[in-house]
């Protein structure tokens, strides 16, 4: 210990004024650290949803395979009646959301009326520009939020119908909201313009619910 004491009897030979300055500097640094921690905590609270999405950003933990069947809500990009009806029969959701374009709105209304007569809860969101994936993403988000508001906790998004930009936008919304997405493949009879019965297959595109 004596090796560390200076001739003036102070540790390391530093005079009391220097030690006082270092003490004040330590107090200042502690206060700054406390303020910075408080600011970060406030920002973390205000931006908690963005931080959650960043921290849990999707790395596509599950792609392909069988689509999850235990679903209480189904959202579909819409083009024709026959395929959505088949998917609904397979998954048996209580809540259905349809995403038609302006051109297919009438057919979607027909399907919605049929489903409501059979006890389904049905909502429609029309995509005015089927070539705009941002609009499809927004409309899909609206349906997912509506489904959650009405008590659904296990939604799934079918990307089969509509144009490609609609499917891309719906896929983005599904990933952001943590909902599985699926696609239906089928053999199509071009002569009679219909799907070959029994050829439909549901394929999982992505399931962001499954995380390492």
């Amino acid at each position: 210990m004596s090796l560390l004491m200076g001739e003036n009897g102070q540790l390391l030979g530093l005079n009391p004024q220097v030690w006082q300055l270092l003490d004040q500097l330590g107090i200042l640094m502690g206060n700054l650290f406390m303020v910075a921690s408080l600011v970060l905590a406030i920002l973390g609270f205000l931006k908690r949803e963005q931080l959650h999405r960043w921290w849990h950003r999707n790395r596509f933990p599950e792609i392909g395979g069988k689509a999850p069947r235990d679903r209480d809500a189904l959202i579909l990009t819409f083009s024709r009646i026959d395929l959505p009806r088949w998917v609904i029969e397979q998954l048996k959701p209580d809540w259905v959301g349809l995403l038609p374009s302006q051109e297919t709105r009438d057919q979607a209304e027909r399907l919605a009326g049929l489903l409501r007569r059979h006890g389904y809860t049905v909502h429609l969101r029309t995509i005015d520009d089927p070539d705009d994936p941002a609009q499809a993403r927004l409309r899909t988000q609206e349906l997912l939020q509506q489904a959650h508001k009405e008590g659904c906790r296990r939604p799934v998004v079918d990307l089969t119908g509509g144009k490609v930009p609609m499917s891309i936008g719906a896929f983005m919304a599904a990933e952001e909201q943590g909902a599985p997405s699926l696609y239906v493949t089928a053999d199509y009879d071009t002569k009679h313009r219909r799907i070959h019965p029994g050829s439909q297959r549901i394929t999982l595109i992505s399931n962001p619910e499954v995380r390492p």
Side-chain angles (χ1 to χ4, degrees), residues 86-125:
W86 181 84
V87 177
I88 292 167
E89 290 172 0
Q90 297 300 309
L91 299 184
K92 297 179 173 60
D94 299 317
W95 194 101
V96 176
L98 301 176
L99 289 162
S101 64
Q102 290 287 358
E103 293 180 354
T104 60
R105 171 82 189 194
D106 290 344
Q107 295 185 59
E109 290 281 9
R110 285 173 51 201
L111 178 59
L114 177 64
L115 292 172
R116 289 182 180 120
R117 286 194 293 273
H118 285 80
Y120 289 90
T121 299
V122 186
H123 291 272
L124 278 76
R125 291 291 189 279

Side-chain angles (χ1 to χ4, degrees), residues 136-212:
R137 172 175 168 265
L138 177 61
R139 297 291 175 261
T140 306
Q141 287 176 337
E142 292 173 353
L143 286 176
L144 285 167
Q145 292 166 2
Q146 185 70 30
H148 189 270
K149 181 180 179 181
E150 296 181 14
C152 300
R153 295 297 179 265
R154 301 181 309 280
V156 63
V157 179
D158 178 9
L159 311 174
T160 312
K163 301 182 74 172
V164 172
M166 291 170 59
S167 298
I168 292 174
F171 173 75
M172 291 177 178
E175 289 294 300
E176 291 168 351
Q177 299 294 323
S181 55
L182 57 84
Y183 189 86
V184 179
T185 60
D187 299 327
Y188 193 73
D189 185 345
T190 55
K191 181 179 180 180
H192 297 95
R193 302 184 67 181
R194 65 181 184 183
I195 294 171
H196 286 295
S199 66
Q200 304 97 321
R201 299 173 299 279
I202 299 177
T203 301
L204 176 70
I205 296 299
S206 174
N207 187 359
E209 291 178 337
V210 179
R211 297 191 182 278

